[in-house]
């Protein structure tokens, strides 16, 4: 059964790492065709191995980062500001960016379990 939070939005199986999977809310491949760098910000979510989800608001940053926007709630384990290190133009870019923040998201997920 699909979690209620972020219902209707799909996960992107290619991004799966250690059971965590990225899902998009905004189109991560949408960027101005005049802008050669790719997509530089967006909204998404991460699904944990247990199927629970957290929101992601991402933007470019010099290094991978994760910080809390909203603490865990009953229906999600938080909403996080995430720093991706390169613009997204291809699926490989998305996979790379998500992979760089997985250790930080795993830490946020485990921290959230103690706050519930």
């Amino acid at each position: 059964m699909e979690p209620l939070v972020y219902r209707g939005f799909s996960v992107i199986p290619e991004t799966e790492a250690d059971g965590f999977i990225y899902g998009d809310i905004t189109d991560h491949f949408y960027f101005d065709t005049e802008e050669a760098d790719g997509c530089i910000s967006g909204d998404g979510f991460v699904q944990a191995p247990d199927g629970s989800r957290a929101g992601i608001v991402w933007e470019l940053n010099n290094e991978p980062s994760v910080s809390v926007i909203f603490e865990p709630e009953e229906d999600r384990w938080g909403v996080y500001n995430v720093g991706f290190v390169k613009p997204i133009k291809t699926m490989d870019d998305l996979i790379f960016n998500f992979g760089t923040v997985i250790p930080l998201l795993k830490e946020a997920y485990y921290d959230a379990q103690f706050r519930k």
Side-chain angles (χ1 to χ4, degrees), residues 26-50:
T26 59
D27 183 356
H28 51 275
F29 294 126
Y30 177 78
F31 54 94
D32 185 343
T33 56
E34 299 296 317
E35 176 61 51
D37 289 340
C39 189
I40 59 171
S41 65
D43 293 315
F45 62 92
V46 58
Q47 182 171 291
D50 66 2

Tab-separated table of all heavy atoms in Angstrom, residues 26-50:
chain	number	residue	atom	x	y	z
A	26	THR	N	8.484	17.810	-8.258
A	26	THR	CA	8.696	18.647	-9.437
A	26	THR	C	9.568	17.856	-10.404
A	26	THR	O	10.333	16.987	-10.011
A	26	THR	CB	9.389	19.981	-9.069
A	26	THR	OG1	10.654	19.704	-8.453
A	26	THR	CG2	8.536	20.803	-8.141
A	27	ASP	N	9.444	18.153	-11.657
A	27	ASP	CA	10.202	17.449	-12.682
A	27	ASP	C	11.673	17.827	-12.579
A	27	ASP	O	12.061	18.955	-12.852
A	27	ASP	CB	9.644	17.803	-14.056
A	27	ASP	CG	10.314	17.071	-15.197
A	27	ASP	OD1	11.287	16.318	-14.957
A	27	ASP	OD2	9.871	17.252	-16.345
A	28	HIS	N	12.487	16.863	-12.180
A	28	HIS	CA	13.911	17.121	-11.986
A	28	HIS	C	14.662	17.283	-13.307
A	28	HIS	O	15.843	17.605	-13.294
A	28	HIS	CB	14.548	16.011	-11.148
A	28	HIS	CG	14.234	14.644	-11.673
A	28	HIS	ND1	13.078	13.983	-11.334
A	28	HIS	CD2	14.895	13.856	-12.533
A	28	HIS	CE1	13.051	12.821	-11.957
A	28	HIS	NE2	14.136	12.718	-12.683
A	29	PHE	N	14.002	17.052	-14.431
A	29	PHE	CA	14.624	17.286	-15.728
A	29	PHE	C	14.113	18.574	-16.378
A	29	PHE	O	14.450	18.872	-17.513
A	29	PHE	CB	14.376	16.112	-16.684
A	29	PHE	CG	15.051	14.848	-16.256
A	29	PHE	CD1	14.321	13.689	-16.112
A	29	PHE	CD2	16.406	14.817	-15.988
A	29	PHE	CE1	14.936	12.507	-15.725
A	29	PHE	CE2	17.034	13.654	-15.594
A	29	PHE	CZ	16.301	12.498	-15.461
A	30	TYR	N	13.285	19.342	-15.643
A	30	TYR	CA	12.760	20.581	-16.203
A	30	TYR	C	13.778	21.695	-15.991
A	30	TYR	O	14.161	22.008	-14.867
A	30	TYR	CB	11.433	20.983	-15.553
A	30	TYR	CG	10.939	22.301	-16.079
A	30	TYR	CD1	10.322	22.379	-17.319
A	30	TYR	CD2	11.124	23.469	-15.361
A	30	TYR	CE1	9.889	23.590	-17.820
A	30	TYR	CE2	10.697	24.685	-15.856
A	30	TYR	CZ	10.089	24.737	-17.094
A	30	TYR	OH	9.674	25.945	-17.594
A	31	PHE	N	14.253	22.248	-17.055
A	31	PHE	CA	15.118	23.418	-16.984
A	31	PHE	C	14.980	24.175	-18.289
A	31	PHE	O	14.622	23.614	-19.317
A	31	PHE	CB	16.577	23.040	-16.694
A	31	PHE	CG	17.165	22.041	-17.644
A	31	PHE	CD1	17.880	22.441	-18.761
A	31	PHE	CD2	17.018	20.684	-17.409
A	31	PHE	CE1	18.426	21.520	-19.626
A	31	PHE	CE2	17.567	19.744	-18.275
A	31	PHE	CZ	18.275	20.164	-19.387
A	32	ASP	N	15.253	25.457	-18.201
A	32	ASP	CA	15.169	26.324	-19.370
A	32	ASP	C	16.142	25.795	-20.429
A	32	ASP	O	17.323	25.600	-20.152
A	32	ASP	CB	15.533	27.752	-18.962
A	32	ASP	CG	15.368	28.745	-20.082
A	32	ASP	OD1	15.275	28.343	-21.256
A	32	ASP	OD2	15.336	29.947	-19.778
A	33	THR	N	15.654	25.560	-21.623
A	33	THR	CA	16.524	25.011	-22.666
A	33	THR	C	17.691	25.929	-22.980
A	33	THR	O	18.703	25.485	-23.499
A	33	THR	CB	15.726	24.720	-23.953
A	33	THR	OG1	15.066	25.913	-24.369
A	33	THR	CG2	14.730	23.608	-23.747
A	34	GLU	N	17.563	27.191	-22.651
A	34	GLU	CA	18.677	28.123	-22.834
A	34	GLU	C	19.736	27.926	-21.746
A	34	GLU	O	20.872	28.313	-21.912
A	34	GLU	CB	18.169	29.575	-22.801
A	34	GLU	CG	17.179	29.905	-23.894
A	34	GLU	CD	17.782	29.797	-25.273
A	34	GLU	OE1	18.926	30.268	-25.468
A	34	GLU	OE2	17.122	29.237	-26.162
A	35	GLU	N	19.321	27.331	-20.639
A	35	GLU	CA	20.229	27.104	-19.508
A	35	GLU	C	20.897	25.756	-19.694
A	35	GLU	O	20.280	24.713	-19.519
A	35	GLU	CB	19.453	27.149	-18.183
A	35	GLU	CG	20.270	26.828	-16.968
A	35	GLU	CD	21.410	27.795	-16.751
A	35	GLU	OE1	21.168	29.015	-16.763
A	35	GLU	OE2	22.533	27.333	-16.583
A	36	ALA	N	22.161	25.747	-20.037
A	36	ALA	CA	22.868	24.509	-20.356
A	36	ALA	C	23.224	23.682	-19.127
A	36	ALA	O	23.561	22.518	-19.258
A	36	ALA	CB	24.128	24.833	-21.143
A	37	ASP	N	23.157	24.264	-17.940
A	37	ASP	CA	23.615	23.555	-16.749
A	37	ASP	C	22.639	22.500	-16.245
A	37	ASP	O	23.045	21.563	-15.583
A	37	ASP	CB	23.895	24.538	-15.610
A	37	ASP	CG	25.144	25.367	-15.873
A	37	ASP	OD1	25.968	24.938	-16.699
A	37	ASP	OD2	25.281	26.424	-15.256
A	38	GLY	N	21.365	22.646	-16.490
A	38	GLY	CA	20.378	21.691	-16.011
A	38	GLY	C	19.534	22.255	-14.893
A	38	GLY	O	19.597	23.441	-14.563
A	39	CYS	N	18.750	21.402	-14.269
A	39	CYS	CA	17.840	21.793	-13.191
A	39	CYS	C	18.652	22.052	-11.919
A	39	CYS	O	19.502	21.244	-11.536
A	39	CYS	CB	16.827	20.676	-12.976
A	39	CYS	SG	15.497	21.122	-11.854
A	40	ILE	N	18.382	23.172	-11.238
A	40	ILE	CA	19.187	23.556	-10.087
A	40	ILE	C	18.418	23.570	-8.763
A	40	ILE	O	19.001	23.868	-7.716
A	40	ILE	CB	19.875	24.918	-10.309
A	40	ILE	CG1	18.860	26.018	-10.570
A	40	ILE	CG2	20.872	24.817	-11.470
A	40	ILE	CD1	19.443	27.419	-10.595
A	41	SER	N	17.127	23.229	-8.796
A	41	SER	CA	16.358	23.143	-7.553
A	41	SER	C	15.069	22.378	-7.824
A	41	SER	O	14.647	22.252	-8.965
A	41	SER	CB	16.028	24.536	-6.999
A	41	SER	OG	15.177	25.237	-7.880
A	42	GLY	N	14.476	21.879	-6.742
A	42	GLY	CA	13.222	21.165	-6.909
A	42	GLY	C	12.687	20.612	-5.609
A	42	GLY	O	13.285	20.787	-4.545
A	43	ASP	N	11.549	19.959	-5.717
A	43	ASP	CA	10.892	19.310	-4.582
A	43	ASP	C	10.768	17.831	-4.879
A	43	ASP	O	10.449	17.430	-5.997
A	43	ASP	CB	9.489	19.879	-4.361
A	43	ASP	CG	9.514	21.328	-3.915
A	43	ASP	OD1	10.319	21.654	-3.036
A	43	ASP	OD2	8.724	22.119	-4.453
A	44	GLY	N	10.980	17.045	-3.845
A	44	GLY	CA	10.851	15.607	-3.989
A	44	GLY	C	10.612	14.973	-2.637
A	44	GLY	O	10.219	15.643	-1.675
A	45	PHE	N	10.859	13.691	-2.567
A	45	PHE	CA	10.757	12.982	-1.296
A	45	PHE	C	11.712	11.807	-1.333
A	45	PHE	O	12.243	11.436	-2.389
A	45	PHE	CB	9.315	12.526	-1.022
A	45	PHE	CG	8.760	11.556	-2.024
A	45	PHE	CD1	8.873	10.188	-1.821
A	45	PHE	CD2	8.117	12.006	-3.165
A	45	PHE	CE1	8.359	9.291	-2.738
A	45	PHE	CE2	7.591	11.116	-4.091
A	45	PHE	CZ	7.715	9.750	-3.883
A	46	VAL	N	11.951	11.252	-0.177
A	46	VAL	CA	12.757	10.049	-0.071
A	46	VAL	C	11.916	8.992	0.627
A	46	VAL	O	11.220	9.290	1.594
A	46	VAL	CB	14.089	10.299	0.664
A	46	VAL	CG1	13.881	10.837	2.059
A	46	VAL	CG2	14.940	9.043	0.708
A	47	GLN	N	11.954	7.790	0.085
A	47	GLN	CA	11.257	6.666	0.696
A	47	GLN	C	12.300	5.769	1.352
A	47	GLN	O	13.269	5.356	0.713
A	47	GLN	CB	10.470	5.886	-0.343
A	47	GLN	CG	9.691	4.732	0.249
A	47	GLN	CD	8.748	4.119	-0.754
A	47	GLN	OE1	7.770	4.757	-1.137
A	47	GLN	NE2	9.049	2.912	-1.189
A	48	ALA	N	12.101	5.491	2.640
A	48	ALA	CA	13.002	4.635	3.412
A	48	ALA	C	12.692	3.162	3.136
A	48	ALA	O	11.638	2.844	2.572
A	48	ALA	CB	12.855	4.953	4.901
A	49	PRO	N	13.581	2.264	3.559
A	49	PRO	CA	13.341	0.832	3.342
A	49	PRO	C	12.015	0.322	3.916
A	49	PRO	O	11.435	-0.624	3.377
A	49	PRO	CB	14.522	0.163	4.040
A	49	PRO	CG	15.604	1.191	3.990
A	49	PRO	CD	14.891	2.505	4.139
A	50	ASP	N	11.516	0.963	4.967
A	50	ASP	CA	10.247	0.524	5.560
A	50	ASP	C	9.024	1.116	4.861
A	50	ASP	O	7.893	0.883	5.273
A	50	ASP	CB	10.203	0.833	7.053
A	50	ASP	CG	10.191	2.332	7.367
A	50	ASP	OD1	10.171	3.168	6.428
A	50	ASP	OD2	10.210	2.668	8.563
